[in-house]
Each structure stands twice: as structure tokens, then as C-alpha cells.
Amino acid sequence: MTQARNTHASPAPLPAAEADLDRRSIRARTEPMTITALGDAIYEIGTEHGTTYLVDLASNRCSCPDHTYRDVRCKHLRRVAIEITEGRVPPPGKLAVECDVCGEELFVDERTVQEESHYCETHTLEPGAFVRDRETGDRLLVVHVSDRRADRVRIGESAYSVATYPNNRSYDPTDSVVGAVYPQSVEMTGRGPEPDELRVYSFPYSRLERIA
Ligand SMILES: [Zn+2]
Ligand SMILES: [Zn+2]
């Protein structure tokens, strides 16, 4: 008979601690916070009241009073976890940077964040990619992506660098130099494909736009 009585009993109120936890997870989701990954698994949290806390995911600690004094899993720790899971904040080991061409936010390995240029998937050029020359509309095939800057690569024996060459001056002089060929310069002959001129031309990275 004990069982029957229990079935009809009104639901027990949530224990205080659990109700507290519930409220915390709602606040963790809904309160306005700005989260910035600083590297080394440290995240800076800006609250709507202008307070700044640091969350360290390596040790699962937060500098807020809720965590420091009450030793609970505070809303900041929760929020960082949520934002990472949902892809809005970089996970530990990565940092947010902007694509050099379109400004889209992307996450890169924190060890490579000092590199001069970062590109989103659409704007990543690699050998074999077809591209459009933004100046002329010509279609080219990328054969080489160098790690040298446009302002440090000279064009032949001229006084120009890739950055100062006419038509290249409106592009970032720190762009990487990309080598590309005109695929229409390859001619099909009885002996197979024969390039009549397979010269590799140098371009500042952002002058070339990837095409499908
Ligand atoms: Zn906290
Ligand atoms: Zn981009």
C-alpha cells in the first residue's frame, strides 16, 4: 500500500540546491555576456554590469564570487561551455581571427595566430584552385602559394615588387604572393597538352578570388 500512496502524493518541491542550479543554468544561457578567448584555455567574460571575470577551462575555475566563495559551477563557466559547444567561441587551443579578405570570423590554432594572414574556407587559395583575377576577370589556376610577402618579392629584374606593380597597389602589401598560370594557354595538340606559354605570374593573395 505504500506504493499506492506514493503515486498520489503531490510532487515534492525541488530541493533548494537543485532549484538554485536550475536558475543558474537559465541565467547562464540568457544573460548578456561578452566572451573573448585569450588563449591558454582562458576566457574573458564581460558582464552587462561592466564587470570582467576570467574563466580558466584548464582548471575549470572562474574569478567571480559565486565560484570563488561558494564553489559552484557558476553561470560563466556554463556559458563558456555552451558557446564553445554551439561554435560561437573558439575551443581551448584556438583563437578567433578574421579572414583577411572578407572579415568572416574563423578559429585558428593559437600557435599560428601570429601569422600575418588568415583566410576563411572560401578564400583559402591552394595549388589546383581555380581563381578569378579581380582586376581583369581572367580565370587562372593557382600553382603555388608562397609564404613571402608581396612587398618583398621583386618582379623579374624590374624595380617593382609584387606589391608596387601597377594594378597591385590597392592590395595589402603584406599579402602572400601567389603563383598562377593561365590554363587557356595550354593547347591540345596531337602530342597531348602542350603549353605554348606556361609562365607563372605572381599576384598578391587578395587579388585572386576563388571560383567554384
Ligand atoms: Zn563565474
Ligand atoms: Zn573570407
Side-chain angles (χ1 to χ4, degrees):
M1 288 320 275
T2 316
Q3 244 178 343
R5 260 204 311 276
N6 278 350
T7 312
H8 295 285
S10 46
L14 275 178
E18 258 178 69
D20 224 38
L21 217 135
D22 235 44
R23 276 197 296 277
R24 231 174 237 118
S25 67
I26 291 166
R27 282 203 304 266
R29 265 195 184 274
T30 55
E31 270 188 27
M33 298 180 204
T34 57
I35 302 171
T36 313
L38 302 180
D40 284 331
I42 311 277
Y43 295 81
E44 187 185 86
I45 317 296
T47 71
E48 56 184 330
H49 315 292
T51 319
T52 302
Y53 298 118
L54 290 178
V55 160
D56 180 354
L57 281 192
S59 57
N60 260 310
R61 302 203 63 85
C62 178
S63 62
C64 76
D66 214 20
H67 182 85
T68 311
Y69 301 113
R70 286 188 283 283
D71 201 30
V72 293
R73 190 164 158 74
C74 65
K75 57 192 176 186
H76 312 108
L77 276 163
R78 288 154 186 267
R79 179 65 164 271
V80 172
I82 291 167
E83 297 290 317
I84 290 173
T85 307
E86 296 181 1
R88 288 188 294 267
V89 165
K94 299 211 165 192
L95 286 172
V97 296
E98 284 180 359
C99 168
D100 244 35
V101 179
C102 68
E104 184 190 308
E105 189 183 68
L106 47 138
F107 302 157
V108 299
D109 192 306
E110 64 186 15
R111 289 164 302 186
T112 66
V113 80
Q114 296 306 333
E115 284 174 14
E116 298 199 21
S117 309
H118 300 279
Y119 302 101
C120 72
E121 212 173 305
T122 318
H123 293 114
T124 298
L125 303 184
E126 58 216 350
F130 281 102
V131 290
R132 193 181 66 88
D133 178 354
R134 290 174 199 272
E135 293 298 314
T136 63
D138 286 340
R139 191 165 163 270
L140 291 111
L141 177 66
V142 173
V143 292
H144 179 65
V145 179
S146 90
D147 47 16
R148 298 182 62 201
R149 287 165 45 154
D151 58 356
R152 300 201 178 138
V153 175
R154 242 183 2 136
I155 296 207
E157 297 301 304
S158 75
Y160 292 120
S161 71
V162 173
T164 60
Y165 198 73
N167 280 346
N168 287 350
R169 289 176 194 162
S170 57
Y171 299 95
D172 189 339
T174 67
D175 265 14
S176 302
V177 172
V178 176
V181 297
Y182 291 89
Q184 50 272 52
S185 69
V186 180
E187 233 182 299
M188 288 307 287
T189 69
R191 297 181 299 275
E194 206 158 87
D196 61 359
E197 186 212 32
L198 252 193
R199 235 188 103 183
V200 178
Y201 293 86
S202 299
F203 294 89
Y205 197 105
S206 49
R207 181 171 158 174
L208 301 176
E209 178 181 34
R210 193 166 183 146
I211 47 180

